[in-house]
Amino acid sequence: MPIVNHKRFIQQVMTLMSGKMIAQVISLALVPIVARLYVPADFGVAVIFITIVHFAALLAPLRYFRASLLIKDEARANQIIAVSFWLLTIGVFILYVLIAIYVFLDINIELLRPLGLLIWFIPIGMYFSALAEILVT
């Protein structure tokens, strides 16, 4: 009897695991193709971009959305998530202002130099990365 109760749960877990495994196999199979399309310097630029985006995505909503997991009242939890969205929007605006200052005043930061025009896409990547984090919780 206990195994019958857990059968549906086990099926759902296996579905999630198999989907994640298929996604990993596809990404692993595409590595040789991507490696031939780009030079190692391009991968370095991608790593810099992704690192900055993910770091900014952690800072922008100030991780307020994690507090919504602790609150029993759904209305208050939704308010905290709304505050996270506002903080994220303000963070995107502030980051665009900082990028504009960096570009127009021609400030020399060695880490950002290889990004070139990709620097303008950092706030967009930050927004979607943080948005996915907020919506998952």
PDB file of all heavy atoms in Angstrom, residues 42-79:
ATOM      1  N   ASP A  42      35.745  34.866 -27.489  1.00  0.00           N
ATOM      2  CA  ASP A  42      34.300  35.087 -27.428  1.00  0.00           C
ATOM      3  C   ASP A  42      33.700  34.413 -26.196  1.00  0.00           C
ATOM      4  O   ASP A  42      32.773  34.937 -25.582  1.00  0.00           O
ATOM      5  CB  ASP A  42      33.620  34.562 -28.694  1.00  0.00           C
ATOM      6  CG  ASP A  42      33.999  35.355 -29.927  1.00  0.00           C
ATOM      7  OD1 ASP A  42      34.387  36.530 -29.772  1.00  0.00           O
ATOM      8  OD2 ASP A  42      33.912  34.797 -31.041  1.00  0.00           O
ATOM      9  N   PHE A  43      34.214  33.242 -25.849  1.00  0.00           N
ATOM     10  CA  PHE A  43      33.740  32.570 -24.647  1.00  0.00           C
ATOM     11  C   PHE A  43      34.097  33.380 -23.399  1.00  0.00           C
ATOM     12  O   PHE A  43      33.330  33.444 -22.441  1.00  0.00           O
ATOM     13  CB  PHE A  43      34.317  31.157 -24.539  1.00  0.00           C
ATOM     14  CG  PHE A  43      33.686  30.184 -25.483  1.00  0.00           C
ATOM     15  CD1 PHE A  43      34.393  29.715 -26.567  1.00  0.00           C
ATOM     16  CD2 PHE A  43      32.393  29.736 -25.284  1.00  0.00           C
ATOM     17  CE1 PHE A  43      33.820  28.823 -27.450  1.00  0.00           C
ATOM     18  CE2 PHE A  43      31.812  28.843 -26.157  1.00  0.00           C
ATOM     19  CZ  PHE A  43      32.519  28.380 -27.242  1.00  0.00           C
ATOM     20  N   GLY A  44      35.264  33.998 -23.415  1.00  0.00           N
ATOM     21  CA  GLY A  44      35.659  34.848 -22.296  1.00  0.00           C
ATOM     22  C   GLY A  44      34.728  36.035 -22.134  1.00  0.00           C
ATOM     23  O   GLY A  44      34.340  36.391 -21.018  1.00  0.00           O
ATOM     24  N   VAL A  45      34.349  36.653 -23.245  1.00  0.00           N
ATOM     25  CA  VAL A  45      33.410  37.777 -23.203  1.00  0.00           C
ATOM     26  C   VAL A  45      32.054  37.298 -22.677  1.00  0.00           C
ATOM     27  O   VAL A  45      31.415  37.969 -21.867  1.00  0.00           O
ATOM     28  CB  VAL A  45      33.261  38.421 -24.599  1.00  0.00           C
ATOM     29  CG1 VAL A  45      32.129  39.421 -24.625  1.00  0.00           C
ATOM     30  CG2 VAL A  45      34.559  39.081 -25.004  1.00  0.00           C
ATOM     31  N   ALA A  46      31.631  36.113 -23.115  1.00  0.00           N
ATOM     32  CA  ALA A  46      30.354  35.564 -22.648  1.00  0.00           C
ATOM     33  C   ALA A  46      30.389  35.306 -21.138  1.00  0.00           C
ATOM     34  O   ALA A  46      29.412  35.568 -20.442  1.00  0.00           O
ATOM     35  CB  ALA A  46      30.015  34.280 -23.400  1.00  0.00           C
ATOM     36  N   VAL A  47      31.504  34.811 -20.647  1.00  0.00           N
ATOM     37  CA  VAL A  47      31.623  34.555 -19.210  1.00  0.00           C
ATOM     38  C   VAL A  47      31.571  35.858 -18.417  1.00  0.00           C
ATOM     39  O   VAL A  47      30.900  35.938 -17.383  1.00  0.00           O
ATOM     40  CB  VAL A  47      32.916  33.768 -18.903  1.00  0.00           C
ATOM     41  CG1 VAL A  47      33.208  33.748 -17.412  1.00  0.00           C
ATOM     42  CG2 VAL A  47      32.806  32.350 -19.435  1.00  0.00           C
ATOM     43  N   ILE A  48      32.256  36.880 -18.906  1.00  0.00           N
ATOM     44  CA  ILE A  48      32.197  38.184 -18.228  1.00  0.00           C
ATOM     45  C   ILE A  48      30.774  38.704 -18.210  1.00  0.00           C
ATOM     46  O   ILE A  48      30.268  39.160 -17.176  1.00  0.00           O
ATOM     47  CB  ILE A  48      33.141  39.198 -18.923  1.00  0.00           C
ATOM     48  CG1 ILE A  48      34.591  38.800 -18.723  1.00  0.00           C
ATOM     49  CG2 ILE A  48      32.907  40.613 -18.392  1.00  0.00           C
ATOM     50  CD1 ILE A  48      35.571  39.608 -19.551  1.00  0.00           C
ATOM     51  N   PHE A  49      30.095  38.636 -19.342  1.00  0.00           N
ATOM     52  CA  PHE A  49      28.720  39.114 -19.447  1.00  0.00           C
ATOM     53  C   PHE A  49      27.800  38.354 -18.482  1.00  0.00           C
ATOM     54  O   PHE A  49      27.041  38.953 -17.719  1.00  0.00           O
ATOM     55  CB  PHE A  49      28.227  38.959 -20.886  1.00  0.00           C
ATOM     56  CG  PHE A  49      26.815  39.406 -21.113  1.00  0.00           C
ATOM     57  CD1 PHE A  49      26.521  40.740 -21.271  1.00  0.00           C
ATOM     58  CD2 PHE A  49      25.777  38.487 -21.137  1.00  0.00           C
ATOM     59  CE1 PHE A  49      25.218  41.167 -21.469  1.00  0.00           C
ATOM     60  CE2 PHE A  49      24.476  38.888 -21.327  1.00  0.00           C
ATOM     61  CZ  PHE A  49      24.196  40.231 -21.497  1.00  0.00           C
ATOM     62  N   ILE A  50      27.872  37.041 -18.510  1.00  0.00           N
ATOM     63  CA  ILE A  50      26.994  36.220 -17.671  1.00  0.00           C
ATOM     64  C   ILE A  50      27.284  36.444 -16.188  1.00  0.00           C
ATOM     65  O   ILE A  50      26.356  36.516 -15.372  1.00  0.00           O
ATOM     66  CB  ILE A  50      27.122  34.733 -18.057  1.00  0.00           C
ATOM     67  CG1 ILE A  50      26.511  34.513 -19.439  1.00  0.00           C
ATOM     68  CG2 ILE A  50      26.458  33.830 -17.035  1.00  0.00           C
ATOM     69  CD1 ILE A  50      26.801  33.157 -20.038  1.00  0.00           C
ATOM     70  N   THR A  51      28.544  36.577 -15.832  1.00  0.00           N
ATOM     71  CA  THR A  51      28.899  36.821 -14.433  1.00  0.00           C
ATOM     72  C   THR A  51      28.335  38.141 -13.938  1.00  0.00           C
ATOM     73  O   THR A  51      27.748  38.205 -12.853  1.00  0.00           O
ATOM     74  CB  THR A  51      30.431  36.804 -14.265  1.00  0.00           C
ATOM     75  OG1 THR A  51      30.929  35.549 -14.725  1.00  0.00           O
ATOM     76  CG2 THR A  51      30.825  37.026 -12.829  1.00  0.00           C
ATOM     77  N   ILE A  52      28.486  39.185 -14.725  1.00  0.00           N
ATOM     78  CA  ILE A  52      27.960  40.495 -14.323  1.00  0.00           C
ATOM     79  C   ILE A  52      26.433  40.457 -14.245  1.00  0.00           C
ATOM     80  O   ILE A  52      25.835  40.990 -13.299  1.00  0.00           O
ATOM     81  CB  ILE A  52      28.446  41.597 -15.287  1.00  0.00           C
ATOM     82  CG1 ILE A  52      29.956  41.775 -15.151  1.00  0.00           C
ATOM     83  CG2 ILE A  52      27.731  42.916 -15.016  1.00  0.00           C
ATOM     84  CD1 ILE A  52      30.566  42.671 -16.193  1.00  0.00           C
ATOM     85  N   VAL A  53      25.793  39.818 -15.218  1.00  0.00           N
ATOM     86  CA  VAL A  53      24.329  39.733 -15.228  1.00  0.00           C
ATOM     87  C   VAL A  53      23.818  39.013 -13.990  1.00  0.00           C
ATOM     88  O   VAL A  53      22.899  39.483 -13.309  1.00  0.00           O
ATOM     89  CB  VAL A  53      23.831  39.036 -16.519  1.00  0.00           C
ATOM     90  CG1 VAL A  53      22.392  38.567 -16.377  1.00  0.00           C
ATOM     91  CG2 VAL A  53      23.956  39.969 -17.700  1.00  0.00           C
ATOM     92  N   HIS A  54      24.404  37.872 -13.663  1.00  0.00           N
ATOM     93  CA  HIS A  54      23.918  37.108 -12.518  1.00  0.00           C
ATOM     94  C   HIS A  54      24.220  37.800 -11.192  1.00  0.00           C
ATOM     95  O   HIS A  54      23.410  37.751 -10.262  1.00  0.00           O
ATOM     96  CB  HIS A  54      24.478  35.698 -12.534  1.00  0.00           C
ATOM     97  CG  HIS A  54      23.811  34.830 -13.557  1.00  0.00           C
ATOM     98  ND1 HIS A  54      22.486  34.467 -13.480  1.00  0.00           N
ATOM     99  CD2 HIS A  54      24.271  34.270 -14.690  1.00  0.00           C
ATOM    100  CE1 HIS A  54      22.171  33.726 -14.511  1.00  0.00           C
ATOM    101  NE2 HIS A  54      23.236  33.601 -15.279  1.00  0.00           N
ATOM    102  N   PHE A  55      25.358  38.453 -11.095  1.00  0.00           N
ATOM    103  CA  PHE A  55      25.669  39.199  -9.880  1.00  0.00           C
ATOM    104  C   PHE A  55      24.692  40.359  -9.693  1.00  0.00           C
ATOM    105  O   PHE A  55      24.175  40.576  -8.599  1.00  0.00           O
ATOM    106  CB  PHE A  55      27.105  39.712  -9.926  1.00  0.00           C
ATOM    107  CG  PHE A  55      27.514  40.437  -8.684  1.00  0.00           C
ATOM    108  CD1 PHE A  55      27.739  39.747  -7.513  1.00  0.00           C
ATOM    109  CD2 PHE A  55      27.652  41.810  -8.691  1.00  0.00           C
ATOM    110  CE1 PHE A  55      28.103  40.410  -6.356  1.00  0.00           C
ATOM    111  CE2 PHE A  55      28.021  42.495  -7.550  1.00  0.00           C
ATOM    112  CZ  PHE A  55      28.245  41.784  -6.369  1.00  0.00           C
ATOM    113  N   ALA A  56      24.416  41.074 -10.764  1.00  0.00           N
ATOM    114  CA  ALA A  56      23.469  42.193 -10.686  1.00  0.00           C
ATOM    115  C   ALA A  56      22.058  41.679 -10.405  1.00  0.00           C
ATOM    116  O   ALA A  56      21.291  42.327  -9.687  1.00  0.00           O
ATOM    117  CB  ALA A  56      23.501  42.998 -11.980  1.00  0.00           C
ATOM    118  N   ALA A  57      21.717  40.507 -10.943  1.00  0.00           N
ATOM    119  CA  ALA A  57      20.374  39.944 -10.708  1.00  0.00           C
ATOM    120  C   ALA A  57      20.187  39.551  -9.254  1.00  0.00           C
ATOM    121  O   ALA A  57      19.064  39.566  -8.747  1.00  0.00           O
ATOM    122  CB  ALA A  57      20.149  38.738 -11.611  1.00  0.00           C
ATOM    123  N   LEU A  58      21.256  39.217  -8.570  1.00  0.00           N
ATOM    124  CA  LEU A  58      21.148  38.912  -7.143  1.00  0.00           C
ATOM    125  C   LEU A  58      20.959  40.180  -6.324  1.00  0.00           C
ATOM    126  O   LEU A  58      20.254  40.171  -5.313  1.00  0.00           O
ATOM    127  CB  LEU A  58      22.407  38.186  -6.663  1.00  0.00           C
ATOM    128  CG  LEU A  58      22.579  36.755  -7.116  1.00  0.00           C
ATOM    129  CD1 LEU A  58      23.938  36.236  -6.673  1.00  0.00           C
ATOM    130  CD2 LEU A  58      21.477  35.884  -6.554  1.00  0.00           C
ATOM    131  N   LEU A  59      21.580  41.268  -6.751  1.00  0.00           N
ATOM    132  CA  LEU A  59      21.525  42.509  -5.985  1.00  0.00           C
ATOM    133  C   LEU A  59      20.266  43.332  -6.223  1.00  0.00           C
ATOM    134  O   LEU A  59      19.782  43.997  -5.308  1.00  0.00           O
ATOM    135  CB  LEU A  59      22.747  43.369  -6.302  1.00  0.00           C
ATOM    136  CG  LEU A  59      24.089  42.836  -5.852  1.00  0.00           C
ATOM    137  CD1 LEU A  59      25.193  43.779  -6.282  1.00  0.00           C
ATOM    138  CD2 LEU A  59      24.112  42.626  -4.360  1.00  0.00           C
ATOM    139  N   ALA A  60      19.746  43.315  -7.438  1.00  0.00           N
ATOM    140  CA  ALA A  60      18.662  44.229  -7.798  1.00  0.00           C
ATOM    141  C   ALA A  60      17.406  44.062  -6.947  1.00  0.00           C
ATOM    142  O   ALA A  60      16.923  45.047  -6.388  1.00  0.00           O
ATOM    143  CB  ALA A  60      18.335  44.103  -9.283  1.00  0.00           C
ATOM    144  N   PRO A  61      16.829  42.875  -6.808  1.00  0.00           N
ATOM    145  CA  PRO A  61      15.606  42.776  -5.991  1.00  0.00           C
ATOM    146  C   PRO A  61      15.894  42.639  -4.496  1.00  0.00           C
ATOM    147  O   PRO A  61      14.974  42.488  -3.698  1.00  0.00           O
ATOM    148  CB  PRO A  61      14.917  41.526  -6.521  1.00  0.00           C
ATOM    149  CG  PRO A  61      15.997  40.694  -7.078  1.00  0.00           C
ATOM    150  CD  PRO A  61      17.058  41.651  -7.556  1.00  0.00           C
ATOM    151  N   LEU A  62      17.158  42.701  -4.125  1.00  0.00           N
ATOM    152  CA  LEU A  62      17.597  42.616  -2.732  1.00  0.00           C
ATOM    153  C   LEU A  62      17.123  41.343  -2.036  1.00  0.00           C
ATOM    154  O   LEU A  62      17.018  41.289  -0.823  1.00  0.00           O
ATOM    155  CB  LEU A  62      17.135  43.848  -1.935  1.00  0.00           C
ATOM    156  CG  LEU A  62      17.648  45.186  -2.435  1.00  0.00           C
ATOM    157  CD1 LEU A  62      17.045  46.321  -1.639  1.00  0.00           C
ATOM    158  CD2 LEU A  62      19.164  45.238  -2.371  1.00  0.00           C
ATOM    159  N   ARG A  63      16.779  40.326  -2.815  1.00  0.00           N
ATOM    160  CA  ARG A  63      16.355  39.012  -2.324  1.00  0.00           C
ATOM    161  C   ARG A  63      15.121  39.086  -1.412  1.00  0.00           C
ATOM    162  O   ARG A  63      14.894  38.210  -0.600  1.00  0.00           O
ATOM    163  CB  ARG A  63      17.499  38.305  -1.613  1.00  0.00           C
ATOM    164  CG  ARG A  63      18.809  38.259  -2.374  1.00  0.00           C
ATOM    165  CD  ARG A  63      18.822  37.322  -3.493  1.00  0.00           C
ATOM    166  NE  ARG A  63      18.948  35.954  -3.034  1.00  0.00           N
ATOM    167  CZ  ARG A  63      19.047  34.932  -3.829  1.00  0.00           C
ATOM    168  NH1 ARG A  63      19.031  35.137  -5.114  1.00  0.00           N
ATOM    169  NH2 ARG A  63      19.151  33.733  -3.382  1.00  0.00           N
ATOM    170  N   TYR A  64      14.339  40.137  -1.568  1.00  0.00           N
ATOM    171  CA  TYR A  64      13.119  40.276  -0.777  1.00  0.00           C
ATOM    172  C   TYR A  64      12.128  39.149  -1.059  1.00  0.00           C
ATOM    173  O   TYR A  64      11.368  38.753  -0.194  1.00  0.00           O
ATOM    174  CB  TYR A  64      12.439  41.615  -1.074  1.00  0.00           C
ATOM    175  CG  TYR A  64      12.824  42.697  -0.120  1.00  0.00           C
ATOM    176  CD1 TYR A  64      14.025  43.368  -0.256  1.00  0.00           C
ATOM    177  CD2 TYR A  64      11.989  43.063   0.908  1.00  0.00           C
ATOM    178  CE1 TYR A  64      14.392  44.355   0.608  1.00  0.00           C
ATOM    179  CE2 TYR A  64      12.342  44.058   1.789  1.00  0.00           C
ATOM    180  CZ  TYR A  64      13.549  44.700   1.635  1.00  0.00           C
ATOM    181  OH  TYR A  64      13.903  45.680   2.502  1.00  0.00           O
ATOM    182  N   PHE A  65      12.114  38.640  -2.284  1.00  0.00           N
ATOM    183  CA  PHE A  65      11.150  37.623  -2.662  1.00  0.00           C
ATOM    184  C   PHE A  65      11.327  36.346  -1.841  1.00  0.00           C
ATOM    185  O   PHE A  65      10.397  35.568  -1.705  1.00  0.00           O
ATOM    186  CB  PHE A  65      11.239  37.316  -4.154  1.00  0.00           C
ATOM    187  CG  PHE A  65      12.601  36.902  -4.614  1.00  0.00           C
ATOM    188  CD1 PHE A  65      12.959  35.578  -4.623  1.00  0.00           C
ATOM    189  CD2 PHE A  65      13.515  37.844  -5.032  1.00  0.00           C
ATOM    190  CE1 PHE A  65      14.220  35.184  -5.037  1.00  0.00           C
ATOM    191  CE2 PHE A  65      14.771  37.467  -5.461  1.00  0.00           C
ATOM    192  CZ  PHE A  65      15.126  36.139  -5.451  1.00  0.00           C
ATOM    193  N   ARG A  66      12.507  36.118  -1.275  1.00  0.00           N
ATOM    194  CA  ARG A  66      12.716  34.945  -0.419  1.00  0.00           C
ATOM    195  C   ARG A  66      11.874  35.026   0.850  1.00  0.00           C
ATOM    196  O   ARG A  66      11.486  34.008   1.399  1.00  0.00           O
ATOM    197  CB  ARG A  66      14.187  34.807  -0.044  1.00  0.00           C
ATOM    198  CG  ARG A  66      15.083  34.526  -1.195  1.00  0.00           C
ATOM    199  CD  ARG A  66      14.951  33.107  -1.603  1.00  0.00           C
ATOM    200  NE  ARG A  66      15.897  32.834  -2.675  1.00  0.00           N
ATOM    201  CZ  ARG A  66      15.859  31.768  -3.389  1.00  0.00           C
ATOM    202  NH1 ARG A  66      14.946  30.861  -3.171  1.00  0.00           N
ATOM    203  NH2 ARG A  66      16.726  31.585  -4.347  1.00  0.00           N
ATOM    204  N   ALA A  67      11.596  36.226   1.306  1.00  0.00           N
ATOM    205  CA  ALA A  67      10.783  36.397   2.504  1.00  0.00           C
ATOM    206  C   ALA A  67       9.345  35.964   2.277  1.00  0.00           C
ATOM    207  O   ALA A  67       8.645  35.604   3.222  1.00  0.00           O
ATOM    208  CB  ALA A  67      10.824  37.847   2.967  1.00  0.00           C
ATOM    209  N   SER A  68       8.891  35.958   1.032  1.00  0.00           N
ATOM    210  CA  SER A  68       7.507  35.564   0.752  1.00  0.00           C
ATOM    211  C   SER A  68       7.272  34.096   1.079  1.00  0.00           C
ATOM    212  O   SER A  68       6.137  33.687   1.311  1.00  0.00           O
ATOM    213  CB  SER A  68       7.164  35.835  -0.718  1.00  0.00           C
ATOM    214  OG  SER A  68       7.917  34.994  -1.562  1.00  0.00           O
ATOM    215  N   LEU A  69       8.327  33.293   1.117  1.00  0.00           N
ATOM    216  CA  LEU A  69       8.182  31.881   1.465  1.00  0.00           C
ATOM    217  C   LEU A  69       7.871  31.675   2.940  1.00  0.00           C
ATOM    218  O   LEU A  69       7.290  30.655   3.315  1.00  0.00           O
ATOM    219  CB  LEU A  69       9.463  31.117   1.101  1.00  0.00           C
ATOM    220  CG  LEU A  69       9.852  31.123  -0.366  1.00  0.00           C
ATOM    221  CD1 LEU A  69      11.216  30.495  -0.543  1.00  0.00           C
ATOM    222  CD2 LEU A  69       8.811  30.401  -1.189  1.00  0.00           C
ATOM    223  N   LEU A  70       8.243  32.634   3.767  1.00  0.00           N
ATOM    224  CA  LEU A  70       8.049  32.497   5.208  1.00  0.00           C
ATOM    225  C   LEU A  70       6.686  32.980   5.687  1.00  0.00           C
ATOM    226  O   LEU A  70       6.287  32.677   6.809  1.00  0.00           O
ATOM    227  CB  LEU A  70       9.146  33.274   5.951  1.00  0.00           C
ATOM    228  CG  LEU A  70      10.579  32.862   5.632  1.00  0.00           C
ATOM    229  CD1 LEU A  70      11.554  33.815   6.283  1.00  0.00           C
ATOM    230  CD2 LEU A  70      10.820  31.432   6.067  1.00  0.00           C
ATOM    231  N   ILE A  71       5.989  33.720   4.850  1.00  0.00           N
ATOM    232  CA  ILE A  71       4.737  34.346   5.263  1.00  0.00           C
ATOM    233  C   ILE A  71       3.572  33.430   4.920  1.00  0.00           C
ATOM    234  O   ILE A  71       3.463  32.919   3.814  1.00  0.00           O
ATOM    235  CB  ILE A  71       4.592  35.718   4.586  1.00  0.00           C
ATOM    236  CG1 ILE A  71       5.716  36.626   5.068  1.00  0.00           C
ATOM    237  CG2 ILE A  71       3.234  36.322   4.894  1.00  0.00           C
ATOM    238  CD1 ILE A  71       5.759  37.946   4.384  1.00  0.00           C
ATOM    239  N   LYS A  72       2.687  33.239   5.901  1.00  0.00           N
ATOM    240  CA  LYS A  72       1.523  32.368   5.710  1.00  0.00           C
ATOM    241  C   LYS A  72       0.405  33.057   4.933  1.00  0.00           C
ATOM    242  O   LYS A  72      -0.315  32.430   4.177  1.00  0.00           O
ATOM    243  CB  LYS A  72       0.982  31.900   7.061  1.00  0.00           C
ATOM    244  CG  LYS A  72       1.997  31.193   7.911  1.00  0.00           C
ATOM    245  CD  LYS A  72       2.315  29.829   7.370  1.00  0.00           C
ATOM    246  CE  LYS A  72       3.227  29.096   8.329  1.00  0.00           C
ATOM    247  NZ  LYS A  72       4.339  28.486   7.693  1.00  0.00           N
ATOM    248  N   ASP A  73       0.266  34.356   5.123  1.00  0.00           N
ATOM    249  CA  ASP A  73      -0.798  35.117   4.470  1.00  0.00           C
ATOM    250  C   ASP A  73      -0.412  35.375   3.008  1.00  0.00           C
ATOM    251  O   ASP A  73       0.619  35.995   2.721  1.00  0.00           O
ATOM    252  CB  ASP A  73      -1.014  36.442   5.206  1.00  0.00           C
ATOM    253  CG  ASP A  73      -2.150  37.250   4.628  1.00  0.00           C
ATOM    254  OD1 ASP A  73      -3.059  36.649   4.025  1.00  0.00           O
ATOM    255  OD2 ASP A  73      -2.122  38.484   4.784  1.00  0.00           O
ATOM    256  N   GLU A  74      -1.242  34.909   2.090  1.00  0.00           N
ATOM    257  CA  GLU A  74      -0.913  35.015   0.668  1.00  0.00           C
ATOM    258  C   GLU A  74      -0.908  36.464   0.184  1.00  0.00           C
ATOM    259  O   GLU A  74      -0.096  36.844  -0.665  1.00  0.00           O
ATOM    260  CB  GLU A  74      -1.906  34.199  -0.157  1.00  0.00           C
ATOM    261  CG  GLU A  74      -1.504  34.091  -1.601  1.00  0.00           C
ATOM    262  CD  GLU A  74      -2.376  33.129  -2.379  1.00  0.00           C
ATOM    263  OE1 GLU A  74      -2.997  32.247  -1.790  1.00  0.00           O
ATOM    264  OE2 GLU A  74      -2.420  33.288  -3.615  1.00  0.00           O
ATOM    265  N   ALA A  75      -1.784  37.291   0.726  1.00  0.00           N
ATOM    266  CA  ALA A  75      -1.837  38.692   0.307  1.00  0.00           C
ATOM    267  C   ALA A  75      -0.535  39.414   0.674  1.00  0.00           C
ATOM    268  O   ALA A  75       0.010  40.184  -0.131  1.00  0.00           O
ATOM    269  CB  ALA A  75      -3.034  39.392   0.944  1.00  0.00           C
ATOM    270  N   ARG A  76      -0.035  39.156   1.868  1.00  0.00           N
ATOM    271  CA  ARG A  76       1.224  39.794   2.283  1.00  0.00           C
ATOM    272  C   ARG A  76       2.406  39.258   1.471  1.00  0.00           C
ATOM    273  O   ARG A  76       3.314  40.009   1.132  1.00  0.00           O
ATOM    274  CB  ARG A  76       1.461  39.590   3.781  1.00  0.00           C
ATOM    275  CG  ARG A  76       0.432  40.289   4.596  1.00  0.00           C
ATOM    276  CD  ARG A  76       0.841  40.961   5.839  1.00  0.00           C
ATOM    277  NE  ARG A  76       2.220  40.953   6.231  1.00  0.00           N
ATOM    278  CZ  ARG A  76       2.890  42.054   6.498  1.00  0.00           C
ATOM    279  NH1 ARG A  76       2.299  43.211   6.358  1.00  0.00           N
ATOM    280  NH2 ARG A  76       4.123  42.001   6.902  1.00  0.00           N
ATOM    281  N   ALA A  77       2.373  37.966   1.160  1.00  0.00           N
ATOM    282  CA  ALA A  77       3.440  37.384   0.340  1.00  0.00           C
ATOM    283  C   ALA A  77       3.444  38.023  -1.044  1.00  0.00           C
ATOM    284  O   ALA A  77       4.500  38.326  -1.595  1.00  0.00           O
ATOM    285  CB  ALA A  77       3.261  35.878   0.243  1.00  0.00           C
ATOM    286  N   ASN A  78       2.255  38.264  -1.601  1.00  0.00           N
ATOM    287  CA  ASN A  78       2.168  38.921  -2.907  1.00  0.00           C
ATOM    288  C   ASN A  78       2.673  40.359  -2.840  1.00  0.00           C
ATOM    289  O   ASN A  78       3.245  40.861  -3.811  1.00  0.00           O
ATOM    290  CB  ASN A  78       0.743  38.872  -3.435  1.00  0.00           C
ATOM    291  CG  ASN A  78       0.338  37.473  -3.861  1.00  0.00           C
ATOM    292  OD1 ASN A  78       1.192  36.644  -4.163  1.00  0.00           O
ATOM    293  ND2 ASN A  78      -0.947  37.205  -3.879  1.00  0.00           N
ATOM    294  N   GLN A  79       2.440  41.019  -1.716  1.00  0.00           N
ATOM    295  CA  GLN A  79       2.962  42.380  -1.556  1.00  0.00           C
ATOM    296  C   GLN A  79       4.492  42.386  -1.552  1.00  0.00           C
ATOM    297  O   GLN A  79       5.119  43.265  -2.156  1.00  0.00           O
ATOM    298  CB  GLN A  79       2.439  43.001  -0.258  1.00  0.00           C
ATOM    299  CG  GLN A  79       0.983  43.366  -0.292  1.00  0.00           C
ATOM    300  CD  GLN A  79       0.485  43.851   1.062  1.00  0.00           C
ATOM    301  OE1 GLN A  79       1.129  43.655   2.080  1.00  0.00           O
ATOM    302  NE2 GLN A  79      -0.689  44.486   1.045  1.00  0.00           N
TER     303      GLN A  79
END
